[in-house]
Amino acid sequence: MPDVLQIGPLQLQGRLLALLLACALGIWLMRRSTQRLPYDTQIEKAKLIDELIFNGVIIVLLTWRLGIIVTQPSLVWTNPLKLLMVSGSATEIALGLLLACGYMYYQIRKHRISLFIVLDVLAIGLSASAFLFCALIPAYGLPTNLSWGISVEGTISRFHPYHAYVSLLLVPLLIWQQITETRKLTIGQGILFKNSLFYGGASGMLASFFAASKSTPLYLSFPQLLFLFMLVFGMLLGALTHNTSRKELSIMSQNDSKMQVQQEQQNKEREKAAAPKGKEGFVDKKLDGPNRPST
C-alpha cells in the first residue's frame, strides 16, 4: 500500500487506511465469534461484549489521532489544522490502550461479564488485525541479499520484509482460531487467549531477529521484551487457571461438607423430637401396646 492515497482533492495516509481496515476486520471477527457463544450466554452478554469491544477500539483510535493535544497542547492555538494531518506516536497508542483497558475493566465489573470470554474474543480480533496490518504495510528489517528482500525506491539495497514474516507466521494461528477452536465452542474458557498469547509471542520473537531495532540495557529491543512477556505470560496462564479451578473445586467441596454436617445435625434433632416420651425414654411393652391389660 502506498504511503499516501490520492482520492480527487483528498489525500489519505496509507498507514491510517491500513489501520482502519485491520480494525474493521478484527471487529467483524469478534462480533462473529460472540454469535457462537452458548445460547444462554449469547442472549445476555453478546450485545454487551460487542459494544464493549467497539467502544474500546474507538477510544484507542481517538486517542491515537487526538492524543497529540495532551502531549503538545500548543498546537491547538498555533496550528490547529495540523491536528488533522499528524498521526499519534507510540505514546498516544499506549495512552489509548490504558484508557481502553480501564473502561473495559469497569464495564466488565459493572455488568458481571466473564473475563475469559472477553479475553478470548479479543485474542481473535487482535490476531486478525495484526495479520492484515502487517500484510498491507511493509517494514524494512536487516539488510539481505535474498531475492524476496524489499528495497527503498531509488536504491539497490535489499532488506528483510519484517512485517511479511509476522503476517506469514500468524496464518496458522488464524486457521486454528477460526476453524478448529470455534467449532469446539471453547470461547470463554481462556484457551484461545492463552494459546494465542503464547503463539503470538513466539512468532513475534522469531520475526524480531530480522528487524533492525535498538537494544535496551537488557540486551533485547523493546518489541522483543514485549514478545518475551507475551510468551512467558502465555506459558504461566495455563498454570494459573488450573490452580484457580482447583481452588474453586476445593471451596465447593468444603461447602458440600458443611452442608452434609448441617444435614446430619438436623436429622439427629428430628430423631430426638420423634422419640416416644416416657421415663428416661423407657417403654414397658406389658403396659403399652395391643397386649396391655384391660381396665
Side-chain angles (χ1 to χ4, degrees), residues 61 85 147 180 192 202 209:
L61 289 177
M85 301 299 298
S147 58
T180 305
L192 276 168
F209 291 109

Side-chain angles (χ1 to χ4, degrees), residues 78-210:
T78 58
N79 193 0
L81 294 177
K82 191 176 181 181
L83 297 175
L84 301 176
M85 301 299 298
V86 177
S87 300
S89 60
T91 304
E92 284 77 14
I93 295 178
L95 180 61
L97 290 174
L98 183 62
L99 293 175
C101 290
Y103 164 78
M104 295 177 69
Y105 178 76
Y106 171 76
Q107 293 295 329
I108 288 173
R109 294 292 300 273
K110 179 181 178 180
H111 297 287
R112 296 181 181 180
I113 302 173
S114 175
L115 180 61
F116 282 121
I117 294 178
V118 179
L119 292 178
D120 285 348
V121 173
L122 281 175
I124 294 174
L126 292 177
S127 300
S129 298
F131 164 77
L132 185 59
F133 182 80
C134 292
L136 295 177
I137 300 299
Y140 300 95
L142 297 175
T144 181
N145 293 324
L146 299 175
S147 58
W148 60 78
I150 56 177
S151 60
V152 183
E153 186 177 358
T155 62
I156 59 174
S157 300
R158 290 183 175 273
F159 304 90
H160 282 287
Y162 165 62
H163 273 180
Y165 296 160
V166 176
S167 183
L168 290 175
L169 289 172
L170 289 178
V171 171
L173 177 62
L174 296 177
I175 296 175
W176 174 76
Q177 288 178 347
Q178 298 300 321
I179 297 179
T180 305
E181 287 301 313
T182 53
R183 290 182 178 179
K184 294 180 180 179
L185 299 177
T186 58
I187 297 177
Q189 301 178 9
I191 298 176
L192 276 168
F193 177 71
K194 177 178 70 69
N195 293 338
S196 299
L197 199 65
F198 175 79
Y199 185 86
S203 301
M205 181 63 73
L206 180 62
S208 66
F209 291 109
F210 301 96

Side-chain angles (χ1 to χ4, degrees), residues 5-74:
L5 294 176
Q6 187 74 28
I7 306 176
L10 300 178
Q11 290 184 351
L12 183 63
Q13 296 180 2
R15 194 177 188 87
L16 177 59
L17 180 59
L19 182 61
L20 293 176
L21 292 176
C23 291
L25 176 62
I27 292 174
W28 177 71
L29 288 178
M30 285 187 285
R31 296 191 64 180
R32 184 169 173 264
S33 62
T34 54
Q35 296 175 359
R36 298 180 178 180
L37 293 173
Y39 185 72
D40 53 347
T41 307
Q42 181 178 355
I43 295 177
E44 297 178 359
K45 304 299 182 181
K47 293 183 179 179
L48 292 175
I49 294 174
D50 290 342
E51 294 178 358
L52 180 67
I53 294 174
F54 180 78
N55 293 337
V57 173
I58 294 299
I59 289 173
V60 175
L61 289 177
L62 290 178
T63 309
W64 176 64
R65 289 294 299 174
L66 303 178
I68 194 172
I69 298 176
V70 179
T71 57
Q72 299 181 16
S74 60

Side-chain angles (χ1 to χ4, degrees), residues 262-277:
Q262 292 178 359
Q263 187 66 30
E264 290 178 359
Q265 293 178 355
Q266 291 177 1
N267 293 335
K268 290 181 180 179
E269 291 177 357
R270 291 176 181 174
E271 291 177 358
K272 291 180 180 179
K277 296 181 180 180

